Amino acid sequence: MKTISRHFYGDSEKTAFSISIVENMKEDYGLFVWPCSIVLAEYVWQHKLRFSGNNVVELGAGTCLPGLVAAKVGSNVTLTDDANRLEVLENMRGVCELNNLKCEVRY
């Protein structure tokens, strides 16, 4: 079952931006947002000045939520995952396009 989850970043009065992620809940590991990636993405948002203008590599990116947040705050982002998981790599490219972000996707 495919679904799109939306993740919002900003303060309680105003949303700075949101990230949309295409998830496939029937698949394993690389095609759904793990709870730890939500925590890491929030860390990137809270420390956006530290990430802005820097290079970021997300290893085992899967749905790549932390990497996409890093790109939104001004990082040059490379997303990586298993070369044998073509559906994951294609989903990574798709969520970058969906969110109008230019990230390099590699295996």
Side-chain angles (χ1 to χ4, degrees):
M1 176 175 90
K2 282 192 178 182
T3 186
I4 295 180
S5 61
R6 297 202 62 198
H7 305 269
F8 298 90
Y9 299 89
D11 60 31
S12 60
E13 296 176 21
K14 180 179 149 189
T15 300
F17 61 85
S18 67
I19 299 287
S20 298
I21 302 289
V22 177
E23 297 184 79
N24 188 338
M25 302 311 282
K26 285 188 171 184
E27 296 294 329
D28 59 344
Y29 302 118
L31 292 171
F32 63 88
V33 177
W34 287 30
C36 59
S37 72
I38 295 170
V39 173
L40 182 55
E42 183 64 29
Y43 177 86
V44 172
W45 166 249
Q46 294 296 324
H47 295 90
K48 56 189 164 286
L49 295 177
R50 175 181 273 174
F51 286 88
S52 181
N54 286 305
N55 295 325
V56 171
V57 176
E58 185 178 355
L59 303 172
T63 57
C64 49
L65 179 61
L68 295 176
V69 172
K72 278 282 195 182
V73 301
S75 297
N76 178 28
V77 176
T78 300
L79 304 166
T80 68
D81 213 303
D82 184 351
N84 297 315
R85 302 289 314 275
L86 298 179
E87 67 277 7
V88 173
L89 295 170
E90 188 57 37
N91 193 59
M92 290 165 60
R93 289 181 188 96
V95 295
C96 290
E97 187 176 309
L98 177 64
N99 290 284
N100 296 314
L101 293 169
K102 300 226 186 260
C103 299
E104 184 175 355
V105 176
R106 303 186 93 180
Y107 55 86

